[in-house]
Amino acid sequence: MVDGPVAEQTGLSFGGLLRQLRDEAGLTQDELAEAAQVSQRAISDLERGINRTARKDTAILLAGALGLDGPARELFTAAARGRAPAGEALAAAAREAGTRSAAASRTFLFTDIEGSTALLGRLGEDLYAQVLAGHHALIRSALAAHDGREVDTQGDAFFAVFSSLRGCVAAVLQMQQALQDHAWPGGERVRVRMGIHCGEAPRTAASLVGLEVHRAARVAAVGHGGQVLVSESAAVLVRDGLPPGAALADLGVHRLKDLGRPERIFQLHAAGLPAGFPPLRSLGNPALPNNLPAQLSAFIGRDREVDEVRRLVESSRLVTLTGAGGCGKTRLGLQVAAELLDGSGDGVWLAELAAVTDQDAVAAAVCEALRLAARPGRPALEALLDALALQDVLIVVDNCEHLIAGCAKTAEAIVRRCPRVHLLATSREPLGIGGETIYRVPSLSLPGPEDSDFAPGSSDAVALFAERARAHGVGLPVEEQAGPLVVSVCRRLDGMPLAIELAAARLRSMSLAELHGRLDQRFRLLTGGSRTALERQQTLRAAVAWSYSLLAGAEQVLLGRLSVFAGSFDLAAAEAVCGFGGIDVLEVAGLLGSLVDKSLVVAEPAGEGLRYRLLETIRLFAAERLVEAGEDEAAAVAEAHCAHFLSVAETAAAHLTGPEQGRWLARLDADQANLRRAAQHTADRPDGTALVLRLGVALDRYWRARSREQEAFRLLVPALQRPAAAADPVLFGVALVTAAHIAFWIDVATARHLAEQAVELARKLGDDRLLVRSLAALCAAHYFAGEPETGRPFGQESVERARRLGDDVLLGRSLLLYLLTIDPAPAGQLFAEAIACTERSGDHLINSMLHNNASGASLEAGDIPAARAHLEAAVQAAQQIGYEVVAVSAIMGLVLRAEGDLDGARSTFEAALRIGRRNGHNWDMAGAILGLACLAGDAGAWDRAAALHGAAQAFLDRTGNPWQGLDARDRQDSLDQARAHLGDEQLERAYAQGMALSLEKTLDLALQGSGPG
């Protein structure tokens, strides 16, 4: 570890230095590992602070791979050994890069050699120096020929500015052709990725890292060697002026790591240059797993904070960003998360808690964010811990302040039991648990006391104000008086991002001088009187209250009513919930647009339309105003909210069994937070029983398609036990059978009891449709209870009645459950009948389930082509509605192995293992490892096969289940062959080694092929 004076005089760790230099080189951890010929794990451990120092030979290899020379190389090596401050090494690298000031220009070019460090590793320093010299000469020759100006060069990376976009295009074509034609040492190919973007840059040195320059670098970073990428702004300008033979190919819209607006990217084609490349390295690439949301506005400044928080996250398991609402905690956390997403580990995930109201629901919300399926009968926290035990992830947990106890409990458990998980929380107060590192998010940087410089680069607060003003279509005046006014506004707002954004929005309706004068009136709390809250909270409250006071009366009423929404909402919802009592429905759209213009409501693109949401701080402020309006107003808004989303659910329900179910499931996905809030409100009302049952019945298919049975169970089962539940017998019966279907996976005894009640009531009512569903539910309840023979007659009656009714939806669903109790051999005709029903009705959900079950039956019967066909059909149906069929990967692995495609089977089993690891399912992991064990035997790697068999058994033992069916048969065949090749003693030894492996080493063995030791 680094200790003594060197460690004390620098805040930058060696891991932070390494990551920063790697990022600047445009390398992932894997690319750096390949170039330096060290393991990716070694790099990851250094960057995350697990290892604080590196061996000298490793440091030398890394320095070479990063292209460091001279003093920078020496200081880097010394810092790796803890003998020099990492900050000095970073400064030396910057001096070596020779950063220059650039003149203002509208066309930016970034280039760098793909895999340059790998080239260094292959060629050695002398030959690589020749490559670098030749590369630099070719780039500079093209720049000179087309009036390009070299702004900055770092190792193999160039940043250049052109006054002519056409000149830039001509230059890159010359560069790529020259690079391709050049004879490189060692017969190597030098592949250079390039990115072109147009935009404005102020004429100051600081502006060289401005928004448009930063965007250009991000465009280049997603490309591949030999590829020239062009942003949309540049493509529009140059499309009609390309050189002869050149063309632009639209690669679609991509999200870059700045989390800003998605960028449409084009590829420049020309004769003689390569055209085919892998997918771009954008945030949509599956190799960068994440759910980070796009942001409509640019991230301004905060370079120091991003670096500090990033280093903390690398070295601490739990980092909490604290500060007042509106100080920028969420945006800072998201940007840090995006910077840390480099393709290593299991990704970066955002769990938003703003719409969660129950302390005990925190773990479930995190599970949902990580797309972990609910585990029947297992508490959400335990399921989460199981799933995360082996993962290397960063989870951003946003808006914790109203759930401190629940967040603290969940975070403490994760830190204690999941050693490779890092948490980045945002909250108005710390979580207050051991191991927590608290980072208090400061205000944006402000100009010095004597500084009235208006230049956007003078401070982050001034830059944000100027940028947001431009976004609102307001050009700030340039006269001499403007500078002091802008600086004064930012200072009086204490550099608080939300307050600054609100102030900038007001420039659409008042002058800068008027804005400055009103701030003096509205922020008296900052300068005098008793303070009962943190100063920053007062500042934010004053900013919001000031903005609120400028609204018209109808705008104020609407803002209060909008606080009832959880998460986002569309215009139709706003009209239905808020259009009453003084606000006409036709007025809502205009008033809502006004609130968007004034930055009190956020509008976000969603498909072909917009969805709206309130920042949490604004929502809380608006909720207080709604309470102040009186109980009648608040109750009316809550009832309107429940009524609307019940209507949404019941409207969707009519489409969830037919061909449009995918679109309607997506519609419900967008409103899931509001559906939950409506359900909670109705469940809490003494007179809300019927509404709860109606909502539960309407959401039946949605809950099952999204694996949310636990949520449905908690809502419906208690409501069914209320005295008022049976007031409407038909609704009660449908709710009983809905709850029975949900309870299969959670409480079989309850499922059977509910199904029995439903059958009895359906017979009493003479309701054939209800009876068909109830009998099918009772059949399945007996099957899951281990009583298939008892359940079979109920299933048979259900099917016969459904046939008489001639309803394809009912018949397909009845056959699905009845087939659970039928032996696979004679089931083929029934599967065909059931699948035909779903194809006629367009019921993709049941179709996918049927094909998945039929694939297993076909495989067991030895019909490989049929099993494959069913699996492919299951996947196709599932993809149409966003339904995840976890079992498909493992069964497809069995099919591929049976067909002799061992590489395909291996990839499929590995994918199944990763899914099982993400979900924490030991059964799924056992089956996938078993498949890999059999494949190892097929390849003659008998020691590894035996160890994997032992590891698979260890995973299965945790479930308490035996091997069954095909798994049992394949396992025994493989073990018999292993015994024949190894003998009893060697087999038992390797098998025991596999069983004794830790979870992490088991995964290493299965996924990386390392030995069991």
Side-chain angles (χ1 to χ4, degrees):
M1 295 180 60
V2 180
D3 51 18
V6 170
E8 295 170 1
Q9 60 184 293
T10 176
L12 179 66
S13 68
F14 175 73
L17 168 67
L18 177 60
R19 183 183 288 275
Q20 188 162 337
L21 293 176
R22 177 175 62 77
D23 283 353
E24 290 173 359
L27 297 172
T28 65
Q29 289 184 344
D30 287 333
E31 289 170 338
L32 179 58
E34 179 184 359
Q37 297 184 344
V38 301
S39 71
Q40 182 270 338
R41 174 63 61 80
I43 294 172
S44 176
D45 287 349
L46 284 168
E47 292 188 350
R48 290 187 295 136
I50 294 175
N51 292 331
R52 304 291 298 276
T53 62
R55 296 195 309 268
K56 183 177 180 180
D57 57 343
T58 299
I60 291 173
L61 289 170
L62 289 171
L66 291 166
L68 299 178
D69 293 314
R73 184 187 185 92
E74 294 175 5
L75 282 168
F76 178 90
T77 305
R81 304 297 295 146
R83 297 170 183 169
E88 287 187 14
L90 187 62
R95 289 192 298 271
E96 191 173 282
T99 304
R100 301 176 181 88
S101 174
S105 176
R106 296 194 65 246
T107 303
F108 312 111
L109 170 66
F110 280 84
T111 79
D112 73 288
I113 298 175
E114 182 180 56
S116 57
T117 50
L119 271 178
L120 173 62
R122 292 195 299 269
L123 296 176
E125 291 186 7
D126 293 341
L127 288 180
Y128 181 75
Q130 296 178 31
V131 168
L132 211 57
H135 164 266
H136 283 28
L138 295 176
I139 297 294
R140 286 171 174 149
S141 175
L143 290 176
H146 300 282
D147 296 322
R149 179 179 178 186
E150 181 179 339
V151 177
D152 193 9
T153 303
Q154 299 187 26
D156 59 275
F158 275 73
F159 168 33
V161 180
F162 289 78
S163 58
S164 165
L165 176 55
R166 293 185 180 184
C168 181
V169 170
V172 298
L173 290 176
Q174 177 180 326
M175 292 174 190
Q176 290 289 11
Q177 194 64 58
L179 291 164
Q180 186 169 291
D181 295 341
H182 189 78
W184 298 100
E188 292 283 354
R189 292 185 63 191
V190 174
R191 298 170 62 85
V192 178
R193 57 186 172 192
M194 302 180 180
I196 299 172
H197 177 58
C198 290
E200 295 181 358
R203 295 177 179 271
T204 63
S207 70
L208 291 178
V209 293
L211 294 177
E212 300 304 329
V213 175
H214 184 69
R215 194 73 170 170
R218 294 296 193 187
V219 169
V222 301
H224 299 275
Q227 191 172 31
V228 179
L229 299 180
V230 182
S231 71
E232 185 173 25
S233 62
V236 168
L237 294 173
V238 81
R239 180 180 287 120
D240 297 328
L242 292 170
L248 291 173
D250 188 349
L251 301 184
V253 176
H254 293 265
R255 293 180 56 213
L256 309 181
K257 277 196 176 182
D258 59 6
L259 294 178
R261 70 183 189 281
E263 181 74 53
R264 184 169 292 278
I265 303 290
F266 296 79
Q267 180 178 322
L268 181 63
H269 286 287
L273 298 183
F277 296 94
L280 298 184
R281 297 187 178 98
S282 57
L283 287 181
N285 190 318
L288 300 174
N290 72 94
N291 68 341
L292 299 179
Q295 305 293 314
L296 293 183
S297 57
F299 183 75
I300 306 296
R302 297 283 202 194
D303 291 342
R304 176 178 60 83
E305 291 90 337
V306 168
D307 181 62
E308 290 174 348
V309 175
R310 180 171 175 166
R311 292 203 308 269
L312 288 175
V313 173
E314 291 167 348
S315 60
S316 302
R317 297 285 313 290
L318 169 61
V319 177
T320 302
L321 306 183
T322 64
C327 70
K329 301 183 294 294
T330 296
R331 195 64 190 272
L332 175 61
L334 290 175
Q335 191 60 44
V336 170
E339 297 289 342
L340 290 169
L341 185 61
D342 61 4
S344 64
D346 296 299
V348 173
W349 305 92
L350 170 66
E352 298 182 87
L353 303 183
V356 179
T357 59
D358 185 356
Q359 297 280 357
D360 295 328
V362 172
V366 178
C367 284
E368 183 173 325
L370 270 65
R371 302 167 189 167
L372 301 175
R375 300 187 62 187
R378 188 116 170 108
L381 180 56
E382 290 302 315
L384 175 64
L385 296 174
D386 289 347
L388 292 178
L390 303 175
Q391 292 198 47
D392 183 357
V393 297
L394 170 64
I395 304 173
V396 181
V397 188
D398 191 34
N399 284 308
C400 299
E401 54 269 7
H402 62 301
L403 300 165
I404 288 295
C407 290
K409 176 182 176 181
T410 301
E412 186 174 49
I414 291 174
V415 170
R416 186 176 68 252
R417 290 176 50 180
C418 307
R420 297 168 65 183
V421 175
H422 287 244
L423 298 174
L424 178 59
T426 72
S427 176
R428 295 188 187 183
E429 60 181 295
L431 302 187
I433 62 175
E436 180 183 29
T437 298
I438 299 169
Y439 184 89
R440 302 192 183 280
V441 177
S443 300
L444 294 172
S445 64
L446 293 161
E450 306 301 323
D451 190 359
S452 61
D453 183 11
F454 169 60
S458 65
S459 76
D460 288 348
V462 170
L464 178 65
F465 187 84
E467 171 60 25
R468 295 299 186 260
R470 281 195 295 271
H472 286 288
V474 177
L476 291 174
V478 296
E479 67 266 17
E480 219 171 85
Q481 293 87 348
L485 282 178
V486 170
V487 171
S488 178
V489 166
C490 292
R491 283 182 182 145
R492 290 184 178 276
L493 294 176
D494 288 344
M496 297 295 289
L498 177 58
I500 289 173
E501 293 194 6
L502 292 169
R506 297 310 306 166
L507 291 177
R508 298 185 64 175
S509 58
M510 63 179 64
S511 70
L512 180 62
E514 290 171 335
L515 170 68
H516 184 265
R518 287 181 181 250
L519 284 179
D520 270 335
Q521 299 168 20
R522 301 300 176 182
F523 283 125
R524 292 175 180 171
L525 286 175
L526 294 176
T527 57
S530 174
R531 296 186 173 112
T532 60
L534 293 174
E535 181 176 341
R536 287 175 180 170
Q537 289 175 328
Q538 292 178 346
T539 301
L540 183 62
R541 178 170 292 279
V544 178
W546 162 73
S547 182
Y548 180 81
S549 70
L550 297 178
L551 298 178
E555 291 173 334
Q556 291 182 343
V557 172
L558 179 62
L559 185 64
R561 293 177 180 177
L562 291 176
S563 68
V564 75
F565 289 103
S568 66
F569 54 92
D570 59 16
L571 177 59
E575 290 174 334
V577 174
C578 303
F580 70 92
I583 297 181
D584 190 271
V585 170
L586 297 178
E587 295 177 322
V588 172
L591 293 171
L592 183 59
S594 179
L595 293 176
V596 171
D597 287 342
K598 296 171 182 177
S599 295
L600 287 167
V601 174
V602 178
E604 298 171 323
E608 298 179 355
L610 290 175
R611 289 187 70 84
Y612 304 88
R613 65 181 176 88
L614 274 64
L615 296 175
E616 182 63 8
T617 300
I618 300 296
R619 191 193 69 78
L620 292 173
F621 181 90
E624 292 177 355
R625 307 288 81 74
L626 181 61
V627 171
E628 290 173 357
E631 291 183 7
D632 291 344
E633 168 80 356
V637 173
E639 289 179 11
H641 179 272
C642 292
H644 173 71
F645 286 103
L646 175 59
S647 174
V648 168
E650 291 183 331
T651 301
H655 302 276
L656 294 184
T657 57
E660 293 187 341
Q661 61 187 207
R663 182 169 69 87
W664 284 92
L665 287 169
R667 169 75 172 84
L668 294 176
D669 284 337
D671 279 324
Q672 60 176 296
N674 282 301
L675 290 167
R676 283 200 188 103
R677 177 159 291 180
Q680 291 167 357
H681 180 73
T682 54
D684 291 340
R685 288 171 52 184
D687 61 345
T689 302
L691 295 177
V692 172
L693 298 185
R694 286 174 60 189
L695 189 60
V697 167
L699 293 176
D700 174 28
R701 280 298 191 95
Y702 176 70
W703 279 324
R704 294 207 294 139
R706 295 298 184 258
S707 300
R708 291 179 183 145
E709 289 86 359
Q710 290 275 5
E711 178 182 336
F713 186 87
R714 289 193 298 267
L715 177 68
L716 267 182
V717 173
L720 286 167
Q721 296 169 352
R722 295 179 182 178
D728 181 341
V730 175
L731 175 61
F732 183 53
V734 178
L736 282 171
V737 75
T738 298
H741 278 285
I742 291 165
F744 293 154
W745 315 101
I746 301 167
D747 185 337
V748 174
T750 297
R752 185 166 53 190
H753 175 65
L754 293 170
E756 289 170 345
Q757 282 185 277
V759 169
E760 181 181 355
L761 180 58
R763 294 193 193 278
K764 180 178 178 181
L765 294 172
D767 188 329
D768 282 347
R769 297 179 64 83
L770 177 58
L771 184 56
V772 167
R773 293 187 60 192
S774 302
L775 288 166
L778 186 55
C779 168
H782 281 290
Y783 168 79
F784 285 110
E787 305 162 349
E789 294 82 4
T790 306
R792 192 175 299 128
F794 298 113
Q796 185 173 357
E797 182 182 354
S798 172
V799 168
E800 291 171 353
R801 287 178 175 276
R803 285 179 180 143
R804 289 199 294 270
L805 288 171
D807 187 318
D808 282 331
V809 172
L810 272 180
L811 181 55
R813 191 170 183 171
S814 295
L815 283 166
L816 171 70
L817 300 179
Y818 175 49
L819 279 162
L820 294 173
T821 68
I822 301 298
D823 292 335
Q829 186 174 350
L830 290 176
F831 271 118
E833 179 185 4
I835 289 169
C837 288
T838 60
E839 289 173 348
R840 288 192 297 268
S841 67
D843 193 344
H844 300 300
L845 176 63
I846 303 301
N847 180 272
S848 180
M849 293 177 176
L850 281 164
H851 276 296
N852 189 63
N853 292 355
S855 70
S858 298
L859 193 59
E860 192 165 347
D863 190 345
I864 304 303
R868 168 180 278 278
H870 282 302
L871 284 174
E872 291 172 350
V875 171
Q876 183 178 4
Q879 287 176 341
Q880 294 189 57
I881 61 172
Y883 174 53
E884 185 177 38
V885 190
V886 178
V888 167
S889 291
I891 300 177
M892 181 60 79
L894 296 175
V895 170
L896 291 170
R897 180 174 178 244
E899 292 176 337
D901 183 358
L902 302 187
D903 288 339
R906 181 176 298 103
S907 296
T908 305
F909 283 130
E910 288 175 350
L913 178 56
R914 291 188 177 97
I915 293 172
R917 181 178 76 164
R918 273 190 43 76
N919 292 332
H921 291 169
N922 287 323
W923 175 272
D924 292 337
M925 288 190 280
I929 295 169
L930 173 63
L932 293 170
C934 294
L935 288 174
D938 294 341
W942 296 110
D943 278 314
R944 184 167 183 269
L948 283 171
H949 275 299
Q953 186 64 54
F955 271 82
L956 190 69
D957 286 347
R958 298 185 182 102
T959 71
N961 292 317
W963 296 108
Q964 298 180 17
L966 288 172
D967 286 341
R969 185 193 69 188
D970 291 348
R971 175 179 180 274
Q972 193 58 54
D973 288 346
S974 180
L975 282 173
D976 288 345
Q977 293 180 60
R979 191 179 305 277
H981 284 83
L982 299 176
D984 290 344
E985 183 178 349
Q986 189 174 348
L987 170 66
E988 297 301 333
R989 181 168 58 251
Y991 188 92
Q993 286 179 328
M995 286 199 72
L997 289 175
S998 66
L999 298 180
E1000 184 173 340
K1001 288 191 175 181
T1002 295
L1003 291 173
D1004 287 342
L1005 171 63
L1007 295 174
Q1008 300 175 12
S1010 59

